Amino acid sequence: MRRAAIERLLPAAYQRASVPGSVLFALLEVMEALHAPDEAVLADVDALFAAYRAPDGFVAYLTRWVAMDHVLASPRPDAPPALPVGRLRDLVAHGAHLARWRGTPDGMRTALELATGVTGFVLDEPVDRPFHLVVRVPPAAAGLLAVITRIVAAEKPVAVTAEVVPPPRTLPPPEPSAEEPS
């Protein structure tokens, strides 16, 4: 709050006494300086809750607000985050949509695609295994199996069992032989 605005809140006798060089004037200047940092934060407080404007360190906190904090779980406290901050921002930005479709195949597929940045997840419900879900992971997301497993466990309906099937390992192409055919 600016000194003049603080001064207007005072009784008229104090307002008249607040002249440059007076103790009251100096006190109001100090009050203005003390309010400045808080007012700077409040002036841009909406940025704290906007997925793409929040500070990087605050995005993980926002994932808890939209019930997507299960993607953050890591095996060790000193481990790096499971996903880059950009992926977390996408999850936060789509939090309402994901909550609306939680427990559905489309909701799970969307959550997996947002978290990994990869499309092509296949969700199967085998006819011979009722209440069971098979999630086939595309090759581009093979390195994120731990995150994918946590998302599937959190997003599937409670009464459904699920398995995550990683992509088949492909063998590298054979090396050309050193001998040239004659």
Side-chain angles (χ1 to χ4, degrees), residues 6 13 18 27 38 59 64 68 74 78 80 96 98 105 110 116 118 134 142 147 153-154 156 162 165 168 177:
I6 300 170
S18 178
L27 179 63
D38 296 334
V59 176
R64 291 184 192 95
M68 290 302 293
S74 63
D78 61 335
L98 294 172
T110 301
T116 62
V118 175
V134 177
V147 173
K156 71 174 184 59
V165 178
S177 65

Side-chain angles (χ1 to χ4, degrees), residues 128-153:
D128 59 333
R129 293 184 70 187
F131 303 105
H132 184 73
L133 178 67
V134 177
V135 178
R136 299 188 193 290
V137 178
L144 296 168
L145 286 178
V147 173
I148 292 167
T149 302
R150 284 196 303 270
I151 292 172
V152 168

Side-chain angles (χ1 to χ4, degrees), residues 1-180:
M1 203 174 209
R2 309 295 288 166
R3 184 199 54 75
I6 300 170
E7 187 177 304
R8 282 193 302 272
L9 298 174
L10 297 174
Y14 287 105
Q15 290 180 23
R16 286 188 300 272
S18 178
V19 292
S22 70
V23 173
L24 182 57
F25 190 88
L27 179 63
L28 293 178
E29 292 284 325
V30 170
M31 288 178 73
E32 178 181 337
L34 290 173
H35 284 128
D38 296 334
E39 288 182 356
V41 170
L42 291 175
D44 204 27
V45 75
D46 60 320
L48 291 175
F49 306 104
Y52 296 108
R53 291 178 44 216
D56 288 352
F58 201 66
V59 176
Y61 178 74
L62 292 177
T63 61
R64 291 184 192 95
W65 278 28
V66 296
M68 290 302 293
D69 53 325
H70 50 275
V71 298
L72 297 176
S74 63
R76 300 182 334 256
D78 61 335
L83 295 174
V85 72
R87 295 273 136 237
L88 295 178
R89 289 180 189 281
D90 291 342
L91 287 170
V92 170
H94 293 88
H97 176 79
L98 294 172
R100 184 180 316 134
W101 294 104
R102 179 166 275 159
T104 67
D106 287 338
M108 183 180 296
R109 188 176 298 107
T110 301
L112 290 168
E113 289 174 355
L114 286 170
T116 62
V118 175
T119 59
F121 287 89
V122 177
L123 281 63
D124 294 324
E125 298 177 43
V127 176
D128 59 333
R129 293 184 70 187
F131 303 105
H132 184 73
L133 178 67
V134 177
V135 178
R136 299 188 193 290
V137 178
L144 296 168
L145 286 178
V147 173
I148 292 167
T149 302
R150 284 196 303 270
I151 292 172
V152 168
E155 298 292 319
K156 71 174 184 59
V158 174
V160 173
T161 58
E163 67 181 289
V164 175
V165 178
R169 297 188 81 191
T170 56
L171 296 174
E175 299 269 336
S177 65
E179 298 175 13
E180 295 280 331

